[in-house]
Amino acid sequence: MTTERQHSITIIGAGLAGALLGTLLAREGWQVEIYEKRGDPRLKGYEGGRSINLALAERGRHALRQADADDAVMRQAVMMRGRMVHSLDGRLQLQRYGRDDTEVIWSIHRGDLNITLLDLAEQAGAHLHFHCRLESVDFDAALARFVDDRDGQYRDIAFDSLVGADGAGSSLRAAMKQRAELGERTDFLDHSYKELEIPPAADGNFRMEPNALHIWPRGRYMCIALPNDEKTFTVTLFLPNQGDPSFATIRSGAEARALFQRDFPDALPLIPTLEEDWEHNPPGLLATLYLERWHIEGRAVLLGDAAHAMVPFHGQGMNCAFEDCVALARHLLSHDDRAAAFTAFEAERHPNALAIQKMALENYLEMRDKVDNTDFLLQRELELTLQERHPGRFVPHYAMVTFMLIPYAMALERSEVQRDILTDATRGLSTLAQVDWETVDAAVLARLSPLVDAP
């Protein structure tokens, strides 16, 4: 093989992960070919369909910095300091994510981000091919067949290795399953979502506090709203699939208006096209994808949603995928053997994907059931106090996941220990003044080691 052939890669999917990985490898002199089934969004607009707004955290920003993409991306981002909880009686409460404005997350629109990353990938030297849907793969001959759905024309492309960055419905994963058992399992949540929109105010500004993730928790269901840089909010209603209320009982725009009048009265005046949006936007499914195996030989590997799609409730799907890109690029650059690189990548990232998938499911229960619960709020207050009493040792769960780069699996392990400490310390109490500090401090020192580079 020539040097050029030894350093070539074919990426399936020109979404967020595919574009970022292409940038990382093209900048290192690799020949990068990226194939996308849709058209170029820079020419005809983003065609990604419905999308809950993305929450960019430190993990994602760290990955973007590796590609010198952070500055371009952050020009489109809106800071969110915390959750703005909307009670049924109209009361508002901001629950900060961190201690101050150095510990925040950022709202960004998927389509705008995708276009930015595509530009950067092309500038780095990656070759983009649109209207190319992966039809089949001959792994023995190392040939991938693509089809242009506009005219049915086929193209057979030789490859060294394929990377599946083509989302939860990955065509490459489907082709790999015909070659080897991947141990695939998909667990669907018994809830779905509907996307709505809050437009700008008459004066062109935001209609609500812009620097927060707004949440209307209502027990078995909830509504959230994330800001966009064009002064709109993307609103997402999460409802059960069955029961009352549910997507089985709330079908028409009029029924949706009645639901909002009853359960989200302060949001209703902000959504002037509620009925039309409800009837035009179909519900989106929520699921977790588990694979026992992400690669086959040195021929193909999966990352991001193609390998480990998760529910969106921790805001880490994109951030996790970006970490995948950095890890895979690092292993490809350090291993001459593709099979060894893919094996090392999977060994590093698989346990962390499982951890964040679990935490994402847990965070849904917290968001819809607990953010206005007195026991939860007392534990949150104690959590912040213990962070001050034991800096670097007791680090809040959200901070570990969102503001640090420690492995997700480590964050999960420590969070479970800390949850036990918080639960034990506040059981039966109503205020921090009742806490047995000697016992709590002893538990922290005994059960938690210091974290390196803790915030």
Side-chain angles (χ1 to χ4, degrees):
M1 297 176 69
T2 66
T3 300
E4 182 179 349
R5 291 286 291 170
Q6 287 174 339
H7 294 87
S8 69
I9 198 86
T10 300
I11 299 172
I12 311 301
L16 306 181
L20 179 61
L21 178 64
T23 302
L24 291 169
L25 292 175
R27 285 163 56 91
E28 295 295 329
W30 281 51
Q31 178 184 330
V32 177
E33 307 292 334
I34 305 177
Y35 290 86
E36 169 59 48
K37 66 181 179 181
R38 293 185 286 261
D40 189 339
R42 299 168 298 178
L43 300 178
K44 57 187 302 183
Y46 182 69
E47 295 181 311
R50 302 182 313 281
S51 170
I52 298 168
N53 264 43
L54 301 169
L56 182 61
E58 177 56 28
R59 295 173 189 274
R61 292 193 64 185
H62 176 76
L64 292 172
R65 291 183 195 110
Q66 312 311 301
D68 288 337
D70 187 60
D71 288 345
V73 169
M74 292 304 293
R75 285 195 286 269
Q76 311 161 24
V78 180
M79 180 180 71
M80 297 188 293
R81 293 186 173 94
R83 299 167 176 163
M84 183 69 78
V85 180
H86 294 245
S87 298
L88 188 56
D89 62 8
R91 286 181 297 113
L92 298 178
Q93 180 189 34
L94 179 64
Q95 298 177 4
R96 274 191 174 270
Y97 291 130
R99 290 169 292 188
D100 53 39
D101 282 357
T102 65
E103 295 180 342
V104 298
I105 60 176
W106 303 85
S107 175
I108 191 162
H109 188 273
R110 180 187 294 271
D112 295 339
L113 177 57
N114 198 177
I115 288 171
T116 298
L117 292 179
L118 286 173
D119 283 340
L120 292 171
E122 201 162 55
Q123 291 165 17
H127 302 112
L128 307 177
H129 309 272
F130 295 98
H131 295 295
C132 293
R133 176 174 57 83
L134 182 66
E135 174 80 5
S136 61
V137 181
D138 184 334
F139 290 102
D140 292 322
L143 284 175
R145 169 162 286 191
F146 295 90
V147 62
D148 185 333
D149 287 326
R150 297 172 300 178
D151 57 16
Q153 292 296 307
Y154 288 96
R155 295 173 61 188
D156 290 329
I157 304 297
F159 65 87
D160 287 338
S161 296
L162 299 173
V163 177
D166 51 342
S170 171
S171 296
L172 179 57
R173 188 177 72 246
M176 291 168 64
K177 285 164 57 179
Q178 297 180 14
R179 174 80 173 200
E181 176 57 48
L182 303 181
E184 178 177 334
R185 184 180 96 249
T186 301
D187 290 350
F188 286 93
L189 203 61
D190 58 358
H191 288 57
S192 298
Y193 69 91
K194 179 84 74 166
E195 190 169 281
L196 309 166
E197 184 180 71
I198 295 175
D203 63 1
N205 290 317
F206 287 101
R207 289 176 178 250
M208 299 187 296
E209 165 59 47
N211 298 124
L213 186 157
H214 292 260
I215 176 170
W216 291 258
R218 299 297 183 259
R220 292 177 55 249
Y221 50 99
M222 69 174 182
C223 191
I224 65 172
L226 278 71
N228 297 304
D229 64 346
E230 63 268 27
K231 314 301 184 184
T232 64
F233 285 87
T234 300
V235 180
T236 310
L237 176 67
F238 299 93
L239 278 180
N241 295 326
Q242 300 295 327
D244 185 21
S246 70
F247 282 110
T249 61
I250 310 297
R251 297 182 177 180
S252 69
E255 290 168 335
R257 171 170 284 276
L259 173 69
F260 270 76
Q261 285 176 333
R262 186 189 74 189
D263 292 341
F264 313 106
D266 62 327
L268 181 58
L270 307 177
I271 313 174
T273 58
L274 172 64
E275 288 94 334
E276 299 94 312
D277 289 347
W278 185 273
E279 295 182 358
H280 179 264
N281 299 336
L285 298 176
L286 298 164
T288 305
L289 168 71
Y290 301 98
L291 297 180
E292 295 176 4
R293 184 178 181 185
W294 293 0
H295 71 97
I296 53 174
E297 304 144 5
R299 289 300 194 189
V301 66
L302 303 168
L303 56 70
D305 282 355
H308 50 70
M310 65 191 75
V311 293
F313 303 112
H314 219 309
Q316 287 293 309
M318 171 185 65
N319 297 285
C320 183
F322 283 178
E323 279 196 334
D324 283 354
C325 294
V326 172
L328 180 57
R330 183 177 69 251
H331 288 297
L332 286 170
L333 294 171
S334 60
H335 291 85
D336 290 333
D337 178 73
R338 295 289 173 88
F342 294 166
T343 299
F345 164 72
E346 181 180 317
E348 175 186 343
R349 296 298 297 164
H350 193 271
N352 292 302
L354 289 174
I356 189 55
Q357 286 175 316
K358 179 179 180 180
M359 291 188 286
L361 287 165
E362 291 175 346
N363 211 48
Y364 183 37
L365 299 179
E366 177 177 312
M367 291 174 74
R368 76 180 199 199
D369 295 346
K370 297 181 179 180
V371 292
D372 56 355
N373 176 277
T374 55
D375 290 339
F376 170 81
L377 294 174
L378 180 60
Q379 290 179 19
R380 172 63 173 157
E381 190 178 354
L382 177 58
E383 184 180 47
L384 296 176
T385 302
L386 290 177
Q387 183 182 24
E388 295 176 357
R389 291 171 74 94
H390 302 280
R393 188 184 293 266
F394 195 104
V395 181
H397 162 79
Y398 197 86
M400 287 189 289
V401 172
T402 309
F403 308 133
M404 298 186 68
L405 303 178
I406 65 171
Y408 286 120
M410 181 186 295
L412 174 60
E413 180 181 2
R414 293 181 68 97
S415 293
E416 290 175 341
V417 172
Q418 293 179 174
R419 185 185 301 123
D420 289 344
I421 294 173
L422 294 170
T423 301
D424 291 344
T426 58
R427 186 174 288 112
L429 306 185
S430 57
T431 69
L432 284 191
Q434 300 169 290
V435 169
D436 181 346
W437 293 108
E438 183 177 350
T439 299
V440 176
D441 290 339
V444 171
L445 293 173
R447 301 184 64 183
L448 295 169
S449 59
L451 263 178
V452 178
D453 296 329

